Amino acid sequence: MPNSVTLRDVATSVGISQSAVSMALSDHPRISEPTKRAVRAAAARLGYVPNSAGRALRAGRSTSIALVVPQTGRHVFGHPYFMHLLVGVTEEANARDAALVVSTNPDETHGVAAYERVLRSQAASGAIVASASISDPNVKRMADSTLPVVLVGRFAHLRHAASVGTDEIAGAAAVTRHLVEDHGLTRIAHISGPLDHQTAVDRYEGFRGALADSGRPCTHTLAAGDFSEESGRAAARQVLDSMADLQAIFAANDEMAYGAMLEIRSRGLRVPEDIALAGYDDFGVSRLTTPGITTVHVPAQALGRRAAAVLFALLDGAAPDPLHSVLPFELVVRESCGSHHG
């Protein structure tokens, strides 16, 4: 039978964090000798055995990791964010001679299949979880299981789990400040993503916070989309009909921004002369439109590499330092907001 004693059990016994237990077992210099002795004694008493995948990695044998995305395969493989993330994870897995399993849901009604496939099959030694909603209880199940797990994104209620992400609040605030401070735009609509996802919530929070901090009499309205081009166009239709003298639209991703651009043009309006436009992500479409779309560059490929590197560290018995990695974003200014670059 597989050993059921986990790092969490040892941590509870000693009264320290799981990260500290992992560092103690790997003889990390940041952990004091008395604490190391206490951890080793507790591990021996409880019968804790380090993860077998970690032993395989140290012995030079291959292992398998999983990328869990609780969406349909059509959505995952048709979305540029996931493709960039997958490339990054694959690069790190290939460097470790590890196989990669991608687990998705068969359709919209089977919301747990992607998780269950990995938890029950034991086909993977560890997992990376991406694009889960805030209310999805299966993310906590994964984080609390004996399987080493790394989350992509911010999960404020799962601070004990290793995660990799960017500061979405700061990124949205940066693009909003650019619209307000650099262009003097004060009547701005935000097209959010689905507000049961932390990414969408954080980008909306960054937008609202920047408006409040601007010191200017800003007015805004909100329409929610689902990160698709079609939802961006529908949301733009809503805000154009409801907000008089609208000056700008900030969409929570570039695909929705492109949908908004189509709706603006269908009304005989121009971007940016009549309505300025900004997006988020910078995965390709923002560079291909005319004008190019001002956006925030999300380093999705680097996120994938970092998430996989953290997971392999966990498999090898090391504690991720820091537990929550935050990669930098970049504001990319193009012509859709009224800026001109030669």
Side-chain angles (χ1 to χ4, degrees), residues 176 180 185-192 203-212 216-223 239 242-250:
T176 305
V180 175
L185 305 172
T186 58
R187 298 184 61 80
I188 307 175
H190 181 61
I191 300 176
S192 76
R203 292 178 187 181
Y204 181 40
E205 182 179 335
F207 167 72
R208 288 194 305 166
L211 292 182
R216 303 190 184 193
C218 295
T219 304
H220 80 275
T221 189
L222 170 71
V239 299
S242 64
M243 190 173 186
D245 301 322
L246 180 67
Q247 296 175 317
I249 294 175
F250 166 34

Side-chain angles (χ1 to χ4, degrees), residues 87-276:
V87 168
V89 174
T90 301
E91 287 175 347
E92 191 68 23
N94 287 341
R96 305 282 189 137
D97 193 28
L100 175 63
V101 176
V102 179
S103 186
T104 61
N105 290 333
D107 54 53
E108 299 295 344
T109 63
H110 293 77
V112 301
Y115 302 100
E116 292 293 341
R117 190 178 297 113
V118 173
L119 285 172
R120 293 182 177 180
S121 70
Q122 298 183 336
S125 302
I128 297 166
V129 180
S131 192
S133 71
I134 300 169
S135 59
D136 189 342
N138 297 290
V139 182
K140 187 175 188 301
R141 284 180 58 216
M142 292 285 288
D144 291 344
S145 72
T146 58
L147 192 73
V149 170
V150 177
L151 308 178
V152 178
R154 188 170 76 88
F155 293 83
H157 62 299
L158 298 174
R159 300 299 297 171
H160 64 282
S163 68
V164 176
T166 61
D167 191 337
E168 310 274 5
I169 296 175
V175 71
T176 305
R177 283 195 302 270
H178 177 72
L179 294 173
V180 175
E181 297 174 7
D182 295 344
H183 294 286
L185 305 172
T186 58
R187 298 184 61 80
I188 307 175
H190 181 61
I191 300 176
S192 76
L195 292 172
D196 61 346
H197 279 65
Q198 193 67 52
T199 292
V201 171
D202 286 351
R203 292 178 187 181
Y204 181 40
E205 182 179 335
F207 167 72
R208 288 194 305 166
L211 292 182
D213 293 342
S214 70
R216 303 190 184 193
C218 295
T219 304
H220 80 275
T221 189
L222 170 71
D226 62 9
F227 289 131
S228 70
E229 175 190 318
E230 294 78 11
S231 74
R233 183 161 190 172
R237 187 177 307 121
Q238 177 182 331
V239 299
L240 286 164
D241 287 342
S242 64
M243 190 173 186
D245 301 322
L246 180 67
Q247 296 175 317
I249 294 175
F250 166 34
N253 79 338
D254 294 338
E255 291 193 37
M256 292 195 299
Y258 178 63
M261 181 181 286
L262 295 179
E263 180 61 25
I264 291 167
R265 286 177 170 167
S266 74
R267 296 174 177 233
L269 301 173
R270 300 165 298 166
V271 175
E273 290 86 354
D274 299 311
I275 305 288

Side-chain angles (χ1 to χ4, degrees), residues 1 5 23 43 55 62 69 77 94 107 136 162 168 170 202 224 239 259 264 266 271-272 280 296 302 312 325 330 335:
M1 293 292 294
V5 179
M23 287 191 285
R55 293 197 300 271
S62 65
V69 186
F77 293 107
N94 287 341
D107 54 53
D136 189 342
E168 310 274 5
D202 286 351
V239 299
I264 291 167
S266 74
V271 175
Y280 207 110
V296 176
F312 283 117
S325 297
E330 178 188 358
E335 295 78 13

Side-chain angles (χ1 to χ4, degrees), residues 42-54:
R45 183 177 69 255
L46 296 171
Y48 172 73
V49 177
N51 184 275
S52 60

